[in-house]
Amino acid sequence: IGYVSQDAFLFDGTVAENSEAEASTAPLLTIASVVDNRTFDRAGLELGHFFQYWMPVYDTLLVLAPDGTVEPNMATEWFYDDTRTVLTLSQRDDITFTDGEVFDAEAVKANIEYLRDGGGPFANMARFVTDVVVVDDTTVELQLERPDPALVPRLGVVLGAMASPASLGDPAAATEPVGSGAYLLDAGATTPGTEYVYTRNPDYWNPEAYAYDSI
């Protein structure tokens, strides 16, 4: 499989119907890829063939459903102002990153600005974001230079991926990702260029959404 959509990992809706019988007998999801992962660094995340590497470890603010609609995830509500240049996001208050850092509005600000300013291949997803304003611990405003119709769906992919703020800019994050996703990268069992092994995050906030014990 050269590219695996988010549906392969999720265990809800139509995916649950296809996976429920398998979940009890096939707890391992094995995915083949034609390319190696380039980096787990938050600024360098990509789509296409690379989505399957980082999606298990980095949860996203929103999530794209199988029919393409946008649904809540780490962020629970979102709305634009009348000019559609200010997007307000409300987020969960019960999530921690695997290094113990708390997921809050400051973490959202740090991640989006790091992507925008990091020079990675998908930094353009945040190109119209002029400022990320922390309203309170669970609320941020994304202030835009101009309306961006793609902004909300992108919060379900690279733009919305959340890494621990403490890991942003740390060279070790390129090979040792620190997220809050449903899985942890098992560094001891992983051989870059050959095999990447992921095990369940025991502290993940929504474990029922994922069918597999390991990837």
Side-chain angles (χ1 to χ4, degrees):
I1 301 174
Y3 169 71
V4 174
S5 75
Q6 200 164 15
D7 306 347
F9 302 101
L10 294 176
F11 190 43
D12 60 355
T14 57
V15 179
E17 293 174 8
N18 295 331
S19 304
E20 188 170 9
E22 300 173 7
S24 61
T25 57
L28 172 66
L29 173 64
T30 301
I31 303 168
S33 179
V34 297
V35 295
D36 190 16
N37 185 43
R38 288 189 177 131
T39 184
F40 286 105
D41 182 80
R42 172 68 185 91
L45 299 184
E46 300 182 63
L47 294 177
H49 295 291
F50 307 99
F51 183 76
Q52 59 207 27
Y53 291 109
W54 63 260
M55 184 265 170
V57 293
Y58 291 134
D59 215 356
T60 50
L61 291 173
L62 303 177
V63 67
L64 303 183
D67 64 0
T69 57
V70 181
E71 297 181 350
N73 198 44
M74 300 176 84
T76 56
E77 297 180 49
W78 61 96
F79 61 88
Y80 275 108
D81 70 343
D82 291 340
T83 67
R84 301 190 71 80
T85 59
V86 178
L87 178 68
T88 300
L89 294 163
S90 299
Q91 63 219 38
R92 301 182 65 92
D93 62 0
D94 58 351
I95 298 175
T96 58
F97 295 98
T98 56
D99 62 355
E101 291 283 316
V102 175
F103 168 68
D104 57 12
E106 290 287 354
V108 175
K109 176 180 174 68
N111 272 271
I112 291 178
E113 291 180 344
Y114 185 70
L115 174 68
R116 182 193 64 191
D117 303 334
F122 282 84
N124 66 329
M125 285 191 172
R127 67 187 182 279
F128 297 126
V129 178
T130 57
D131 199 6
V132 183
V133 177
V134 174
V135 178
D136 56 40
D137 287 347
T138 60
T139 310
V140 296
E141 291 180 351
L142 305 188
Q143 299 186 352
L144 308 179
E145 175 186 340
R146 45 160 284 187
D148 181 3
L151 185 71
V152 169
R154 285 171 172 171
L155 292 172
V157 286
V158 171
L159 180 59
M162 293 288 111
S164 168
S167 73
L168 300 177
D170 183 350
T175 55
E176 301 172 11
V178 184
S180 65
Y183 297 91
L184 304 168
L185 180 68
D186 185 342
T190 292
T191 303
T194 302
E195 184 176 51
Y196 292 79
V197 178
Y198 303 82
T199 57
R200 273 192 179 274
N201 176 0
D203 299 319
Y204 186 59
W205 64 274
N206 190 21
E208 295 81 8
Y210 292 84
Y212 300 98
D213 293 331
S214 58
I215 303 172

